[in-house]
Amino acid sequence: MLSKQRSARSLSLLACGALALGACSTADTGEGSGGGDGETQDQTIAFAWEQEFEAYNGNTSSQNATKNTVVLNRVLTQFWEYDPEGQVAPYEPFGSFQKTSDDPLTVEYTINEDAKWSDGEPIDCDDMVLKWAAQSGKFKKDDKDVFSPAATTGYEDMQQPQCEDGDKKFTVVYDEPFADWSASFDQFIMPAHIVEKEAKVEDLVAAVTDKDMDAIGKAAKFWNEGWVLKAGELKPDIMPSSGPYMIDSWTAGQSLTLKANPQWWGDAPKASTIVFRFIAGEQQSQALQNGEVQLISPQPQVDIVKQIDAIGDSVIKETGDRYIFEHVDFNFGTDFKDPEIRKAFAMCVPRETIVKNLIQPVNPEGTVMDGRYVFPFQDNYAGIVGATDAGEYAKPDIEGAKAILTAKGKTNMPVRIGYQTPNQRRTSTVQLIADSCKQAGFDVKDAGTDSFFGTEQPARNWDVALFGWAGSPLVSGNSSTYVTGGGNNFGDYSNPEVDAKTAELNKAVEESEQDRLITDIEKLLWSDLATIPLFAHPGVNAQAANLEGVVFQPSQSEVTWNMDQWTMAAE
C-alpha cells in the first residue's frame, strides 16, 4: 500500500496578505478557468461518508455541517475556494473580484457572463443581495434576526451590494476594515429567484433596498426552512445547481447521486457520476476493499486505520494535518452556568488519556490541543497557548474536582454528553470521561443520538456536547462560535470582552496584531472555561489505486472540494 503524509505546518493565519490594492492571486489547483473545455467520461465514482445529507442551504445555524458541505462542494459554487494548502484562492469559473480601495474598504465583483443556474436563470445581482441580506444580521423583528445564519462575520460590516436587478457586476463597501475580505461571498450562494417564487416575494432586491420587512420576513422563513429535507426527499424544482454537478437521486439511508450539470459553463467535470454512499466509519474500509466505493475519508479511529493498512497495494492512503479539532462544550442553560462546576468538570476530563488511547495510535505525533484559534502544527501555536491557563487542566485533578462538587452540594451530579452517532471514537471518549469524572462525583451519561446535530444540539437538549469544528486559517472563522448570540454558539456562552476582542480581530490586518488578539481571546476562553479543546483531527484519506485527481484538503471543505477532477484511470 502506498502511504503519503502531508503537513500544514507552514501555513500562516493570514488569508490573503495585507490589504494591498489588487486581487488575490490564484493558486494552481488543476482547475480550468471556465469556457467549457474538456470532456466528461462515462464513469461512476463512489465515495463513502458517514452522515447523511440533510439540507441544500448550508448557511443556516442548524445546517452548517460537513454532511451538507461534502455533497454541495461542486453543486453550489462561489467566487473562491480553499486551495490544497487551505488558503483562499479565487474560483475563476464563477467570476472575479478586486479590492479597489482601502479607505473605505471597497471590493468590486464580476460574475462570469455565462454563469447561470441549471434551470437556466442567470446568476446575478439578486443572488448576491440575498446572500448579503441573509448573513448581515441587519433585518430584525422584535430585536431578533429574521434570518438564521451560522455567521454574520464580514457581512455585518458590509453595506448592501451596489447593483440593480439582473446585473452581473456589483460593488461592496465596508463600514469597517475586514481582514478576511477575500473570503466574502463564499459557500453557499443560494438562488434568489427560487426564494422569490416560493416565498411569493415579487422583487427581492427591491424588498431589501426598501427594507420591506413583510416581504423580507417571508423570504427569510423559506431561506431558513425551505431547503431542509427529509431523508430521500428531493425537490428538484427548488434545488438548481450552479456548479459542475447537480443532485440527481437520493435513496434514504443508502446513497445520493450527482450527475454532470448540462448547463455548467466551465470546464467539464471528468466523471459523469459521483455517488455518495452513507456508510458507518468502521465499515468504510471493507467497502473500499470490496470495490463498493473508490474513496473514503473517515474520522480517524484506531481500528479503521488498521483496516486500511491491511488492504494492501490496491489502495493508497494519505494522511495530513487538518484544521479540525475535537472539543467539549458546556450548556450554559444548565448547572454548568456556574463557573466552579465547569472548572470541576474540566479538572476531571482526562485529555492526555484520550489522546494517548484514541489519537496517537493513528497519529504518533498527536498531542493534547490547548487552543481553539490555532493548531499544534502552526508556528504561532506555542506562543499563544503558552500565555493561557491551559496548563492548569493538562492532567486530571480528581481531588480538586471532588472538593468543588462537595462544596456545591452537587455530588453524583448527572451530566448528559450529547454527540452524533454512530462514532466509535466519540463513544470511547465519553466512556473515558465518564470513568474519570465518576471519581470526582459526576454521573456521566452517554446521550449520543443519530439526530444530535439536527435535533438535540440546536434545541440545547444536552449538558455537555462533544463534536468537532472544521475550520481554516481565516482569522474570522471562529467569530460566530464564541460571541454572544453567535450562530455557532450552541451553548449560549457570553463574555463582552470576548465580543469586543473578536470584533477587533476581524479588523486586524497585521499578523502580529492578530496573534496578540488571539492570545487575549484564548486567555478569556480558558478563564471562563467556555469550552475544553481536546485534540486536532489528523486527516485520513484512502482511495483505490486507479482513482486519480483526489487532492488532500486540510480545511473545512473536505476531500470533495475538487471532485469534478476525479477520474478512474484506464486499466
Side-chain angles (χ1 to χ4, degrees), residues 176-389:
E176 301 281 353
F178 180 46
D180 291 331
W181 64 269
S182 63
S184 294
F185 293 97
D186 56 347
Q187 278 187 318
F188 302 92
I189 294 171
M190 305 306 295
H193 66 286
I194 298 298
V195 174
E196 289 177 333
K197 177 183 176 182
E198 296 299 312
K200 296 181 172 52
V201 174
E202 184 175 348
D203 187 337
L204 184 65
V205 173
V208 171
T209 301
D210 298 339
K211 296 181 173 57
D212 180 349
M213 288 306 299
D214 180 58
I216 292 171
K218 291 189 290 186
K221 181 174 177 57
F222 178 80
W223 188 90
N224 294 339
E225 304 171 3
W227 281 301
V228 180
L229 308 166
K230 296 177 181 177
E233 176 185 44
L234 278 184
K235 298 180 179 180
D237 291 346
I238 65 170
M239 297 166 60
S241 166
S242 62
Y245 289 107
M246 56 194 301
I247 299 178
D248 179 72
S249 61
W250 182 7
T251 302
Q254 296 185 37
S255 66
L256 182 147
T257 300
L258 306 183
K259 293 283 189 181
N261 174 12
Q263 298 292 331
W264 172 241
W265 60 92
D267 287 354
K270 293 189 175 181
S272 60
T273 306
I274 304 291
V275 177
F276 291 81
R277 298 198 186 281
F278 306 122
I279 301 174
E282 60 269 19
Q283 299 172 7
Q284 289 183 11
S285 57
Q286 187 65 56
L288 178 62
Q289 184 173 14
N290 294 345
E292 299 171 42
V293 299
Q294 285 72 53
L295 175 65
I296 65 175
S297 185
Q299 290 201 25
Q301 298 182 37
V302 178
D303 290 343
I304 293 175
V305 173
K306 288 181 178 178
Q307 292 166 6
I308 293 171
D309 290 340
I311 295 176
D313 294 339
S314 62
V315 303
I316 298 171
K317 183 182 78 173
E318 185 169 16
T319 60
D321 297 324
R322 299 202 63 195
Y323 288 99
I324 300 177
F325 76 98
E326 194 85 351
H327 53 96
V328 293
D329 287 10
F330 295 109
N331 184 343
F332 281 68
T334 68
D335 284 342
F336 284 113
K337 63 180 177 291
D338 185 334
E340 286 296 296
I341 300 295
R342 296 197 300 277
K343 182 173 184 176
F345 193 80
M347 291 167 75
C348 69
V349 173
R351 298 198 296 155
E352 282 191 345
T353 301
I354 291 169
V355 171
K356 180 179 178 181
N357 290 6
L358 304 177
I359 298 303
Q360 288 182 349
V362 178
N363 175 18
E365 297 183 2
T367 184
V368 170
M369 182 161 163
D370 287 331
R372 302 161 185 85
Y373 277 75
V374 289
F375 287 73
F377 54 77
Q378 291 180 290
D379 292 336
N380 58 346
Y381 174 81
I384 288 173
V385 302
T388 72
D389 294 333

Side-chain angles (χ1 to χ4, degrees), residues 65-142:
T66 53
K67 63 183 176 182
N68 298 319
T69 300
V70 291
V71 171
L72 298 172
N73 270 329
R74 284 297 190 252
V75 174
L76 296 174
T77 56
Q78 64 285 325
F79 281 99
W80 64 272
E81 64 185 350
Y82 290 111
D83 69 13
E85 301 304 322
Q87 301 287 357
V88 169
Y91 185 59
E92 294 183 358
F94 193 88
S96 60
F97 55 96
Q98 183 174 10
K99 181 162 63 67
T100 58
S101 172
D102 282 323
D103 188 15
L105 174 58
T106 304
V107 186
E108 293 183 353
Y109 292 83
T110 301
I111 304 165
N112 190 314
E113 195 64 36
D114 296 327
K116 58 185 175 181
W117 297 98
S118 56
D119 60 8
E121 188 77 14
I123 298 172
D124 55 28
C125 165
D126 305 42
D127 306 308
M128 308 307 147
V129 170
L130 171 62
K131 177 73 170 176
W132 172 82
Q135 295 191 233
S136 67
K138 296 182 183 293
F139 298 94
K140 300 180 183 296
K141 182 178 181 180
D142 299 327

Side-chain angles (χ1 to χ4, degrees), residues 370-374 384 387-389 475-476 478-479 481-483 493 495-506 508 513-531:
D370 287 331
R372 302 161 185 85
Y373 277 75
V374 289
I384 288 173
T388 72
D389 294 333
V475 297
S476 63
N478 285 327
S479 295
T481 305
Y482 306 110
V483 298
Y493 165 73
N495 183 328
E497 287 187 77
V498 171
D499 297 347
K501 294 286 186 181
T502 301
E504 287 186 62
L505 176 61
N506 290 341
E513 180 68 1
Q514 292 173 358
D515 284 356
R516 181 187 69 80
L517 289 164
I518 289 172
T519 301
D520 290 346
I521 293 170
E522 288 283 12
K523 286 180 179 179
L524 291 166
L525 294 176
W526 273 112
S527 178
D528 291 345
L529 287 171
T531 66

Side-chain angles (χ1 to χ4, degrees), residues 138-177:
K138 296 182 183 293
F139 298 94
K140 300 180 183 296
K141 182 178 181 180
D142 299 327
D143 204 33
K144 184 179 180 181
D145 194 349
V146 295
F147 291 95
S148 182
T152 59
T153 309
Y155 300 98
E156 62 193 353
D157 293 323
M158 182 192 297
Q159 298 174 18
Q160 179 177 334
Q162 300 171 5
C163 57
E164 301 292 333
D165 191 356
D167 285 354
K168 285 282 191 177
K169 294 185 178 182
F170 65 98
T171 300
V172 296
V173 178
Y174 289 81
D175 295 324
E176 301 281 353

